[in-house]
């Protein structure tokens, strides 16, 4: 499960987010070589937390180990075009999940989904966009988890990781009107899922993701 930024308090996580910020601001560029020694000097910490942070970021696909080059920065920035491509991945996973649920006649519990929506509503009221987006992503992850396919869930987690930490500022700057419309859409989707109207729910999700795309290009 993805975690909110506020859940990370250890030194290796401080280093982890420092590296992410350097990549997002362009201080670290794609294919740039990284060393523990360099980061230790720049961040003023020992190599142990740096090693842990690098290992985690390699697992996330942000950094890469290359033969003869060591650790290098990958191109992770999400502009509007890449954002659309990532949403297409989520749309495919959701569609496959709902088709599988319908075919297998699997019962789906929507309690967790409704809890995510309630948390989004509360975060929106408090203007806490980090928490709002965290729970929005959790909604889709919990829905996709009903596919029973761990590959879907793992890939979706990586998609939302990239959107959370590497999207250009305009993508995650969601105004109040858009937040209200999203919450309304999600409530309609859950109502349709409770009625086992899976095709209609998928159509509503497709419409919502389309609104995300429009918002990204404003």
């Amino acid at each position: 499960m993805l975690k909110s930024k506020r859940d990370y308090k250890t030194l290796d996580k401080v280093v982890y987010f420092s590296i992410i910020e350097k990549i997002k601001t362009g201080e670290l560029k794609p294919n740039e070589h990284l060393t523990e020694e360099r980061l230790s000097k720049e961040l003023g910490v020992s190599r142990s937390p740096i090693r842990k942070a690098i290992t985690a970021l390699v697992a996330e696909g942000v950094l890469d180990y290359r033969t003869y080059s060591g650790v290098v920065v990958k191109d992770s920035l999400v502009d509007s075009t890449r954002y659309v491509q990532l949403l297409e991945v989520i749309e495919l996973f959701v569609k496959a999940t709902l088709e599988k649920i319908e075919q297998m006649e699997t019962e789906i519990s929507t309690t967790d989904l409704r809890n995510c929506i309630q948390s989004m509503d509360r975060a929106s009221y408090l203007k806490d966009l980090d928490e709002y987006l965290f729970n929005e992503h959790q909604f889709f992850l919990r829905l996709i988890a009903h596919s029973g396919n761990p590959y879907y869930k793992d890939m979706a987690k990586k998609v939302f990781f990239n959107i959370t930490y590497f999207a250009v500022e305009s993508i995650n700057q969601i105004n109040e009107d858009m937040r209200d419309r999203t919450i309304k859409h999600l409530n309609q989707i859950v109502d349709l899922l409770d009625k086992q109207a899976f095709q209609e729910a998928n159509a509503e999700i497709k419409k919502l993701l389309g609104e995300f795309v429009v918002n990204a290009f404003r």
Side-chain angles (χ1 to χ4, degrees):
M1 181 182 296
L2 290 172
K3 295 183 179 180
S4 177
K5 292 179 184 178
R6 67 193 61 186
D7 294 331
Y8 294 130
K9 298 178 182 178
T10 60
L11 186 55
D12 55 296
K13 288 303 181 183
V14 172
V15 174
Y16 174 96
F17 284 115
S18 294
I19 295 173
I20 286 176
E21 188 63 23
K22 285 176 178 289
I23 295 172
K24 189 169 183 180
T25 60
E27 186 176 342
L28 291 175
K29 295 179 172 48
N31 298 313
E32 187 168 347
H33 180 61
L34 287 182
T35 65
E36 293 176 12
E37 181 180 8
R38 169 188 169 180
L39 290 171
S40 179
K41 289 180 179 178
E42 290 180 355
L43 300 175
V45 298
S46 67
R47 292 193 182 190
S48 178
I50 289 174
R51 193 173 300 119
K52 290 179 181 178
I54 287 175
T55 299
L57 288 168
V58 168
E60 297 285 4
V62 177
L63 303 177
D64 192 20
Y65 280 119
R66 294 182 186 172
T67 306
Y68 307 120
S69 300
V71 178
V72 296
V73 179
K74 295 179 71 173
D75 183 7
S76 301
L77 294 181
V78 178
D79 59 12
S80 296
T81 299
R82 184 173 288 184
Y83 178 65
V84 172
Q85 294 168 345
L86 292 175
L87 289 184
E88 287 174 352
V89 173
I90 296 301
E91 184 180 334
L92 288 171
F93 286 160
V94 168
K95 183 174 185 291
T97 296
L98 295 180
E99 287 176 350
K100 187 172 183 180
I101 292 172
E102 185 171 23
Q103 291 169 2
M104 301 296 291
E105 297 183 351
T106 306
E107 290 190 10
I108 177 171
S109 173
T110 57
T111 301
D112 286 349
L113 300 179
R114 291 193 185 279
N115 288 339
C116 288
I117 298 172
Q118 289 174 3
S119 295
M120 288 172 63
D121 197 17
R122 181 169 56 253
S124 180
Y125 175 76
L126 296 173
K127 296 182 172 56
D128 186 343
L129 288 185
D130 282 346
E131 191 66 15
Y132 172 88
L133 287 169
F134 171 74
N135 283 286
E136 178 188 282
H137 297 168
Q138 284 298 310
F139 178 94
F140 287 99
L141 286 172
R142 293 181 186 215
L143 177 57
I144 290 169
H146 283 88
S147 69
N149 187 327
Y151 174 78
Y152 288 178
K153 187 176 179 181
D154 288 344
M155 289 299 295
K157 283 173 65 177
K158 289 183 178 180
V159 166
F160 287 126
F161 175 87
N162 284 327
I163 291 173
T164 299
Y165 297 114
F166 294 105
V168 296
E169 188 173 351
S170 59
I171 288 175
N172 287 332
Q173 288 299 313
I174 306 170
N175 62 38
E176 185 176 359
D177 181 57
M178 182 63 194
R179 297 197 302 270
D180 288 345
R181 291 205 311 274
T182 297
I183 290 168
K184 181 179 179 180
H185 273 299
L186 292 179
N187 276 313
Q188 290 172 343
I189 289 164
V190 174
D191 288 342
L192 290 168
L193 292 174
D194 280 337
K195 297 175 183 176
Q196 297 186 328
F198 299 115
Q199 292 183 21
E200 291 88 341
N202 184 62
E204 192 67 27
I205 289 171
K206 186 178 179 68
K207 184 189 302 182
L208 174 59
L209 295 179
E211 290 194 14
F212 287 178
V213 170
V214 171
N215 186 69
F217 280 93
R218 284 179 178 172

